[in-house]
Amino acid sequence: MAIVRMEPVNVRVRADWFDGTPREITWGRVKLPVTRLTAVRREDSAYRVEVGPRTVFEVETPGARLALVFQHRSRRWTVDGVDDEVGLS
């Protein structure tokens, strides 16, 4: 299984108070609990200063595996990729 990149979609995320890991994703009217965190990648120096750093979380939810991105400067969460085997509608 591979995560397929897509146009970023804005989502709301409820994260852990202490370590910032995602616990629940709200995508439109659908709430997806995060069942497993599979990878974390910090991209601190990959972007210009005005864009700022970001952190990519690969998470599993019931029915889908997602690439969830937190953009630190804008404090925005987006879904940038979805598992190619399972999609969301």
Side-chain angles (χ1 to χ4, degrees):
M1 291 188 272
I3 290 185
V4 176
R5 299 293 164 208
M6 57 185 238
E7 187 69 30
V9 176
N10 289 327
V11 293
R12 293 187 62 193
V13 174
R14 199 176 82 216
D16 186 89
W17 179 260
F18 294 107
D19 61 8
T21 58
R23 298 291 181 216
E24 181 182 74
I25 303 164
T26 304
W27 187 338
R29 295 183 181 199
V30 178
K31 288 191 179 195
L32 302 166
V34 174
T35 56
R36 188 170 153 214
L37 179 66
T38 58
V40 177
R41 184 174 64 245
R42 299 187 189 283
E43 298 176 344
D44 294 330
S45 59
Y47 297 92
R48 297 183 319 270
V49 173
E50 52 275 359
V51 175
R54 70 184 205 160
T55 304
V56 179
F57 298 90
E58 287 189 17
V59 298
E60 290 183 6
T61 65
R65 193 171 68 156
L66 306 171
L68 187 62
V69 175
F70 179 68
Q71 298 173 352
H72 295 270
R73 189 163 312 278
S74 64
R75 305 196 53 81
R76 191 176 100 176
W77 288 93
T78 59
V79 172
D80 285 11
V82 66
D83 190 323
D84 64 346
E85 297 293 317
V86 180
L88 295 173
S89 51

